[in-house]
Amino acid sequence: MEARYDLIKCINAGPAHKVWKLKVRVIRLWTVSQFARSGMKAPIEMVVLDEEGDTIQCTVKDIFVPIFEGLLAEGNVYVVTNFGVALNTIKFKPTRHEFRIHFKRDTIVRPVQDSSVPLNGFNFVPFKTIQSESKEDGYLVDVIGQLASKGNLVEFTRDGKPSSYITIELDDLEGGQKLRVTLWQSFAFELLKYLEEHPSLTYVVILQMGKMKFYSGVMGVSNTNYNSKLFINVEFPAARDFFARVNKLDPVDGQGIMPLVCGQPVSDEEDFLRLSVYKTIADIKEHNQDAVFVTAGTIKEVETEFGWWYKGCKKCRRGLRELDKKYFCPNCIRDYGFYEPRYIIHIRVIDHTDAASFVLFDGEAAKFLGVSAKDLRQSCVTKGVEKNSCPEEIHKLRDIKFIFKVQLKMRNLNSYEPYVIHVLRMTNENSLVSAFLDKYNPDTGLLSHENSELLSLSTGPYNTSKACESEPTPSPAVDEKHNSKILGAKKHIEEIGEESVSSKSKKGKWVVVED
């Protein structure tokens, strides 16, 4: 009688006494050295595939590694029984399965020979789907395409360690925009070695388990340190099918891989006038999904109650947690004895339709203020500026009309503004602002007389010398809204797990990580 096996799609966390039995192929296996404890071997992570093509992640904790490390190998098929199941909560998920498997001391792993289980389990995502995403999804993706262009290898040093990457573009032959893919370190060297040793006009590239990443406001893909795998001109059925599509195209003599100009950011003109979608501030506030837009508006106020800088990681720019006189970075997963002051400025922006709070980060803020957050903070200390004060230089942003490229992120921070609006890019260059206003023709003469905040911001007096010292007593309704925003800021810090309350302010800061 043929043995019966459970299917991966049926795996769940209950009941606790359930004994699962799977027949699976290990399609990816890696160790996580950064989580290795002293005297222990690094945990083992795997992605396994069943005969229906479904996948799930498996973990072997460090204490159980000696039991299984000699038995498990990538590509082999196993029957696995008596394991634990838990929710998959890791940051980058190599499968879409809600749960993950944990090997136990008494988990049984038996190698078998079975060709019914597929070799790879690719789940290719269309380029249009990736490029339409407005946020960097935590789920890893598989992509396949013809190598259309290639940049040069970029080598640099970060924190004293050499690093390198290469950027390529893939064409999925669907007639849409090409997908930009960044290959780091060994992946870049692997690609270059293959191209040198196997000259050809056509290369079909597969990146398995890549992570989505914004490039100049457009979503692309890059490899991860541990999960990803690169295939070039392989004999897998998926690659053969793609080659067949390539061969149906009309050949073009001499056409190979086009050079890709890397490291050249999209110009302001191209980005604001041609590549991005325009919305008024009112339209942006009505939008209920994460998205990226361009808009025009005037900075009328700096919201000083949230502070103006945060303690950032020098390596990755994320907010740090201060613990026992050290600074822990949840992104780098390490302690530092120092931090880098970085800008995070909350500004109130108005256009002819409404007003909204934008969050301005280090790069754009420093560009327009002409001074780094580190230098400005040091200047404040030297001048003996009051601890909780906002420096006068910050208010130079007021009453200037900018074009903004913003990212709307839904966060459910409070009942008044259940979103965060990040400034990705901005400019006040006169000719570009004029061209932008001519193209989208916003009626700057129309101010909604139903929006009292808009009217007060556009016509009311403002004393910068008093801005950081005292505030008028708000009405109960305004006070409730203000408190809700403060609570929302704190909630946001808790959600991202990156607290960075400046020593210059005792108030809760709305700390958002810089992209």
Side-chain angles (χ1 to χ4, degrees):
M1 182 177 178
E2 185 178 356
R4 298 186 62 179
Y5 302 100
D6 296 301
L7 297 175
I8 285 177
K9 65 183 180 183
C10 299
I11 296 291
N12 57 62
H17 62 271
K18 168 71 175 178
V19 178
W20 301 96
K21 185 177 183 180
L22 297 177
K23 182 172 65 176
V24 293
R25 185 185 302 275
V26 177
I27 62 171
R28 196 72 184 97
L29 183 149
W30 68 96
T31 58
V32 189
S33 56
Q34 70 185 74
F35 293 138
R37 294 184 292 179
S38 177
M40 305 289 287
K41 293 194 174 184
I44 296 175
E45 298 289 339
M46 296 178 291
V47 176
V48 299
L49 171 78
D50 69 11
E51 60 185 11
E52 290 200 354
D54 293 309
T55 57
I56 192 169
Q57 185 171 354
C58 303
T59 299
V60 181
K61 293 182 179 180
D62 51 9
I63 58 174
F64 301 138
V65 167
I67 301 174
F68 300 102
E69 63 177 341
L71 184 60
L72 299 169
E74 198 169 288
N76 289 351
V77 179
Y78 302 91
V79 173
V80 185
T81 56
N82 196 33
F83 48 80
V85 178
L87 284 172
N88 191 3
T89 58
I90 63 171
K91 182 177 181 180
F92 294 114
K93 301 176 176 62
T95 84
R96 293 269 170 178
H97 205 292
E98 181 183 3
F99 297 95
R100 64 191 300 190
I101 288 172
H102 290 274
F103 280 32
K104 303 186 294 186
R105 188 182 303 277
D106 54 353
T107 295
I108 300 172
V109 179
R110 179 169 57 87
V112 296
Q113 298 293 326
D114 195 323
S115 59
S116 66
V117 182
L119 289 173
N120 305 109
F122 294 120
N123 184 20
F124 296 116
V125 180
F127 291 1
K128 288 182 179 179
T129 301
I130 294 173
Q131 291 159 344
S132 66
E133 289 287 340
S134 58
K135 63 178 180 179
E136 296 171 356
D137 200 331
Y139 291 102
L140 305 183
V141 297
D142 300 341
V143 295
I144 182 172
Q146 181 182 6
L147 181 59
S149 54
K150 174 184 71 68
N152 296 320
L153 182 70
V154 178
E155 298 179 281
F156 61 97
T157 300
R158 177 182 291 170
D159 294 336
K161 298 180 180 179
S163 188
S164 55
Y165 69 89
I166 192 169
T167 304
I168 62 175
E169 284 185 334
L170 300 182
D171 188 347
D172 63 359
L173 308 182
E174 296 293 339
Q177 188 176 351
K178 295 179 178 63
L179 182 71
R180 180 160 289 205
V181 177
T182 302
L183 301 176
W184 291 86
Q185 297 289 88
S186 61
F187 287 77
F189 301 139
E190 182 181 346
L191 173 75
L192 293 175
K193 182 180 179 181
Y194 188 93
L195 298 184
E196 181 180 353
E197 296 178 352
H198 303 85
S200 174
L201 284 179
T202 302
Y203 298 94
V204 174
V205 177
I206 296 174
L207 182 63
Q208 188 177 29
M209 301 182 198
K211 64 179 178 181
M212 290 191 283
K213 191 74 177 176
F214 268 115
Y215 301 91
S216 298
V218 178
M219 191 69 78
V221 174
S222 72
N223 65 278
T224 66
N225 291 333
Y226 298 104
N227 317 80
S228 304
K229 200 166 186 179
L230 183 68
F231 303 94
I232 308 171
N233 286 2
V234 291
E235 289 297 317
F236 301 147
R240 287 199 299 267
D241 292 344
F242 196 90
F243 262 115
R245 294 174 58 198
V246 173
N247 292 334
K248 290 180 181 179
L249 301 177
D250 293 332
V252 179
D253 292 338
Q255 179 173 332
I257 304 170
M258 300 298 291
L260 175 65
V261 180
C262 297
Q264 297 292 329
V266 177
S267 68
D268 284 348
E269 181 179 3
E270 186 78 6
D271 203 3
F272 287 116
L273 298 181
R274 283 181 280 279
L275 296 181
S276 303
V277 177
Y278 167 74
K279 295 282 187 183
T280 66
I281 289 179
D283 289 337
I284 291 173
K285 292 172 69 172
E286 288 296 320
H287 204 76
N288 59 5
Q289 294 181 343
D290 290 8
V292 175
F293 301 114
V294 291
T295 193
T298 300
I299 299 176
K300 299 303 293 185
E301 183 181 352
V302 177
E303 299 180 313
T304 57
E305 65 266 35
F306 299 114
W308 60 274
W309 68 280
Y310 69 99
K311 297 174 182 177
C313 175
K314 193 169 184 179
K315 182 177 181 181
C316 72
R317 300 190 176 191
R318 300 296 179 103
L320 299 174
R321 298 175 186 166
E322 189 169 354
L323 302 170
D324 298 327
K325 298 183 180 180
K326 291 185 178 180
Y327 302 96
F328 175 72
C329 178
N331 186 57
C332 299
I333 317 179
R334 59 175 295 186
D335 291 322
Y336 294 97
F338 54 87
Y339 60 84
E340 182 83 6
R342 297 189 184 278
Y343 287 116
I344 180 168
I345 304 172
H346 293 255
I347 53 178
R348 198 70 180 170
V349 181
I350 69 167
D351 70 358
H352 62 290
T353 64
D354 209 338
S357 295
F358 291 3
V359 183
L360 181 60
F361 284 113
D362 197 63
E364 293 298 299
K367 181 169 69 175
F368 285 93
L369 294 174
V371 61
S372 69
K374 180 179 180 180
D375 290 343
L376 183 56
R377 180 173 175 269
Q378 183 59 48
S379 174
C380 290
V381 173
T382 302
K383 294 176 182 178
V385 175
E386 186 180 350
K387 184 176 181 181
N388 294 334
S389 293
C390 179
E392 196 70 25
E393 289 86 344
I394 301 293
H395 294 290
K396 291 180 181 179
L397 293 165
R398 291 189 64 251
D399 296 323
I400 300 177
K401 182 183 287 293
F402 287 93
I403 310 172
F404 298 93
K405 182 173 185 178
V406 298
Q407 184 175 20
L408 179 70
K409 294 188 175 184
M410 307 307 295
R411 284 292 185 269
N412 269 335
L413 298 180
N414 58 69
S415 58
Y416 294 97
E417 292 186 346
Y419 49 75
V420 180
I421 303 176
H422 293 181
V423 176
L424 302 178
R425 198 174 194 174
M426 67 186 200
T427 181
N428 66 335
E429 200 274 314
N430 288 334
S431 62
L432 191 53
V433 172
S434 297
F436 187 91
L437 297 180
D438 288 343
K439 178 175 181 178
Y440 296 111
N441 195 30
D443 189 347
T444 55
L446 291 178
L447 285 177
S448 172
H449 290 274
E450 297 177 358
N451 191 326
S452 59
E453 178 192 15
L454 191 60
L455 288 172
S456 64
L457 281 174
S458 61
T459 61
Y462 188 88
N463 185 346
T464 58
S465 65
K466 301 294 183 181
C468 301
E469 298 175 11
S470 62
E471 298 178 1
T473 304
S475 67
V478 173
D479 188 52
E480 180 184 354
K481 181 175 181 178
H482 180 269
N483 290 338
S484 180
K485 289 179 67 177
I486 292 289
L487 290 173
K490 293 179 179 179
K491 179 181 177 183
H492 183 55
I493 293 172
E494 293 171 358
E495 285 180 354
I496 62 176
E498 295 171 355
E499 183 176 359
S500 178
V501 180
S502 165
S503 60
K504 294 182 67 62
S505 175
K506 294 182 180 179
K507 295 182 179 181
K509 284 185 65 180
W510 191 341
V511 177
V512 187
V513 297
E514 180 175 3
D515 293 330

